[in-house]
């Protein structure tokens, strides 16, 4: 471990090595050496997931085999579906995801020697969208999600198409599927963020994949990590019209309120992922003929830069992008999970290849020495 400077939250501390991703010079992002702009433009999420797990882009035959195995896990064990039915309708969707992944571990447990880690990884990746979708359909559409009878599409559709089609139970415009595919790529990996580091810490104890991923979900649930896209959507919804944006933002600034979706602990001048997702937000805005929400977003962006020199991160324009696709706001962060699991698993695999228990030291700042007193003399 290399300590660069003393700061809260381990800022400036190099906690390990990775070959999976790099934020480079503070304004670029690469997965296994591939620029995020190229991946977002040309790749499928499934190709990127393969890349993050195994370090190389797949050949056509490898990709097809990967997808067959991945998509087969969309059909959940009947016991998992019964448990999802018992999770209350008013539960937080992140809790649904956490519970669902944990339950999965009982039906395809990872062996102690990790010899089936590849299949377990694909089980988690493949089943995670179905966990949310099954719970959603059961509680909000009042019906069991019968994926078995839809095998032809379930076992061949991309992750983006499967999620949107199953959520809305209707045909989805291609532009929505393209936007969701890009979003999944952008959210897939981001070096040693809080949830990834949590996964690696758990994995370093030689715990199993399900436990490590559940830990990542728990870390992502915190509003200072995941949830910023949901908070951004709530902010945008709070403006009754375009004219109200500036005065409302000024009032929030005066009250020193935290505006989620802006700034980043790693990036210095801009978030390269925002460049991509902002373009998609504009495309979807034009497609659905909703110019107001995008206009509000741009006003907020301009205000935050001029007032605080804070730039939007990936979460800010992801909010409007998802909203244009009619995705419930509460599902924004669970989508983050479905994507980021690919990065988490890549990091768990990497941790296992050269494992050392992650156990940092702490700087003690308490009282130096005290003499014990029995309870009657205190």
């Amino acid at each position: 471990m290399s300590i660069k400077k003393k700061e809260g939250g381990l800022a400036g501390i190099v906690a390990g090595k990775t070959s999976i991703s790099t934020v480079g010079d503070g304004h670029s992002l690469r997965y296994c050496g591939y620029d995020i702009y190229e991946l977002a433009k040309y790749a499928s999420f499934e190709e990127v997931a393969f890349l993050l797990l195994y370090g190389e882009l797949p050949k056509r035959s490898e990709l097809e085999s990967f997808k067959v195995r991945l998509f087969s896990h969309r059909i959940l064990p009947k016991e998992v579906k019964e448990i999802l039915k018992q999770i209350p309708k008013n539960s937080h969707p992140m809790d649904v995801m956490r519970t669902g992944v944990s339950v999965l571990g009982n039906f395809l447990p990872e062996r102690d020697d990790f010899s089936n880690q590849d299949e377990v990884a694909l089980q988690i990746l493949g089943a995670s969208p179905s966990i949310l979708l099954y719970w959603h359909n059961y509680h909000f559409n009042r019906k069991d999600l019968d994926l078995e009878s839809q095998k032809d599409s379930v076992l061949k559709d991309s992750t983006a198409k499967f999620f949107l089609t199953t959520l809305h139970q209707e045909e989805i415009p291609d532009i929505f599927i393209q936007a969701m595919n890009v979003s999944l790529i952008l959210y897939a990996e981001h070096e040693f963020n809080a949830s990834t580091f949590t996964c690696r810490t758990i994995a370093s104890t030689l715990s199993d994949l399900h436990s490590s991923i559940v830990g990542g979900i728990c870390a992502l649930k915190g509003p200072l990590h995941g949830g910023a896209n949901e908070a951004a959507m709530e902010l945008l919804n709070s403006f009754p019209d375009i004219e109200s944006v500036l005065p409302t933002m000024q009032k929030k600034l005066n009250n020193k309120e935290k505006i989620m979706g802006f700034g980043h602990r790693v990036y210095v001048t801009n978030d390269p992922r925002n460049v991509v997702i902002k373009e998609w937000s504009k495309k979807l805005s034009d497609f659905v003929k909703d110019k107001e929400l995008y206009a509000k977003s741009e006003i907020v962006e301009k205000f935050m830069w001029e007032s605080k020199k804070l730039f939007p991160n990936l979460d800010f324009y992801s909010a409007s992008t998802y909203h244009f696709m009619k995705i419930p706001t509460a599902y924004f962060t669970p989508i983050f999970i479905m994507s980021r699991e690919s990065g988490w698993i890549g990091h768990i695999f990497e941790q296992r290849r050269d494992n050392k228990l992650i156990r940092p030291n702490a700087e003690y700042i308490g009282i130096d020495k005290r003499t014990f007193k029995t309870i009657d003399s205190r």
Side-chain angles (χ1 to χ4, degrees):
M1 180 180 288
S2 171
I3 300 178
K4 293 181 178 178
K5 57 183 176 180
K6 282 188 180 180
E7 267 188 50
L10 299 182
I13 293 177
V14 177
K17 297 179 180 179
T18 183
S19 60
I20 297 175
S21 74
T22 177
V23 296
D25 49 9
H27 56 78
S28 64
L29 176 62
R30 292 179 179 273
Y31 295 172
C32 302
Y34 293 99
D35 189 277
I36 192 65
Y37 295 128
E38 290 188 321
L39 292 173
K41 186 174 182 180
Y42 300 115
S44 68
F45 169 66
E46 290 75 22
E47 287 178 279
V48 170
F50 187 101
L51 171 69
L52 294 174
L53 266 60
Y54 305 119
E56 297 290 346
L57 286 171
K59 297 176 182 177
R60 187 177 298 278
S61 60
E62 291 173 325
L63 179 61
E64 290 309 309
S65 174
F66 180 77
K67 290 195 296 185
V68 167
R69 295 164 61 205
L70 177 67
F71 298 167
S72 69
H73 291 291
R74 290 173 175 170
I75 298 177
L76 300 174
K78 66 180 188 308
E79 296 88 351
V80 174
K81 293 191 286 188
E82 288 303 313
I83 291 172
L84 290 172
K85 290 179 182 179
Q86 303 306 312
I87 300 177
K89 180 179 179 178
N90 62 351
S91 293
H92 195 295
M94 291 292 285
D95 294 339
V96 176
M97 297 295 289
R98 177 194 66 207
T99 301
V101 172
S102 184
V103 170
L104 277 177
N106 296 280
F107 297 97
L108 182 60
E110 191 172 20
R111 300 184 189 120
D112 291 342
D113 62 359
F114 308 138
S115 58
N116 65 335
Q117 70 172 13
D118 281 18
E119 195 60 31
V120 172
L122 296 186
Q123 176 219 35
I124 294 170
L125 274 173
S128 289
S130 295
I131 289 170
L132 180 65
L133 292 166
Y134 186 86
W135 175 82
H136 169 83
N137 268 274
Y138 182 78
H139 287 292
F140 294 95
N141 294 336
R142 298 183 179 180
K143 65 178 183 180
D144 285 355
L145 183 60
D146 182 15
L147 295 178
E148 290 88 344
S149 66
Q150 307 169 40
K151 277 188 176 181
D152 286 348
S153 59
V154 167
L155 299 181
K156 72 177 183 180
D157 286 347
S158 69
T159 303
K161 184 175 182 179
F162 169 71
F163 178 78
L164 291 173
T165 302
T166 310
L167 175 66
H168 295 306
Q169 293 292 291
E170 62 185 23
E171 288 297 313
I172 301 299
D174 285 344
I175 192 172
F176 286 8
I177 296 169
Q178 294 166 19
M180 178 56 69
N181 180 71
V182 168
S183 174
L184 292 172
I185 290 171
L186 296 177
Y187 269 120
E189 162 59 10
H190 211 233
E191 202 224 36
F192 275 22
N193 54 80
S195 57
T196 299
F197 193 65
T198 298
C199 290
R200 290 191 73 132
T201 300
I202 295 172
S204 79
T205 70
L206 300 183
S207 190
D208 63 292
L209 266 167
H210 294 95
S211 297
S212 301
I213 296 300
V214 168
I217 294 171
C218 294
L220 191 63
K221 185 182 177 184
L224 291 184
H225 184 19
N229 48 20
E230 296 178 28
M233 194 66 243
E234 291 167 6
L235 172 68
L236 294 169
N237 282 335
S238 72
F239 307 128
D241 50 44
I242 291 177
E243 289 71 26
S244 66
V245 176
L246 281 177
T248 302
M249 290 302 299
Q250 188 61 56
K251 183 177 180 180
K252 290 180 179 294
L253 181 65
N254 295 342
N255 293 337
K256 298 182 179 180
E257 296 182 34
K258 184 173 180 62
I259 306 300
M260 304 300 287
F262 285 86
H264 202 276
R265 281 282 291 269
V266 177
Y267 295 118
V268 177
T269 57
N270 75 292
D271 183 338
R273 302 168 301 173
N274 173 67
V275 175
V276 179
I277 203 64
K278 182 178 179 180
E279 290 178 355
W280 278 100
S281 178
K282 179 64 167 66
K283 288 178 184 178
L284 297 193
S285 169
D286 293 338
F287 181 79
V288 302
K289 297 180 172 57
D290 180 350
K291 302 294 178 63
E292 185 170 297
L293 184 61
Y294 184 81
K296 289 176 181 177
S297 301
E298 287 200 306
I299 294 170
V300 173
E301 177 184 4
K302 186 171 185 285
F303 175 86
M304 290 297 291
W305 181 253
E306 292 179 348
S307 302
K308 304 285 290 182
K309 290 295 181 283
L310 290 176
F311 52 85
N313 55 42
L314 172 60
D315 294 315
F316 185 67
Y317 280 98
S318 291
S320 52
T321 300
Y322 289 165
H323 180 79
F324 293 139
M325 290 188 279
K326 299 180 181 178
I327 297 171
T329 302
Y331 296 170
F332 289 5
T333 311
I335 293 171
F336 194 156
I337 292 175
M338 298 170 201
S339 166
R340 185 57 63 85
E341 282 173 337
S342 57
W344 290 342
I345 293 168
H347 277 275
I348 293 167
F349 285 1
E350 184 177 62
Q351 180 68 36
R352 288 175 172 178
R353 284 194 290 271
D354 184 25
N355 186 59
K356 291 181 178 61
L357 178 67
I358 297 174
R359 199 291 189 191
N361 296 327
E363 179 185 1
Y364 179 69
I365 59 171
I367 298 171
D368 187 20
K369 294 180 180 179
R370 309 173 88 172
T371 301
F372 180 81
K373 297 180 180 179
T374 62
I375 194 164
D376 292 331
S377 61
R378 293 175 197 163

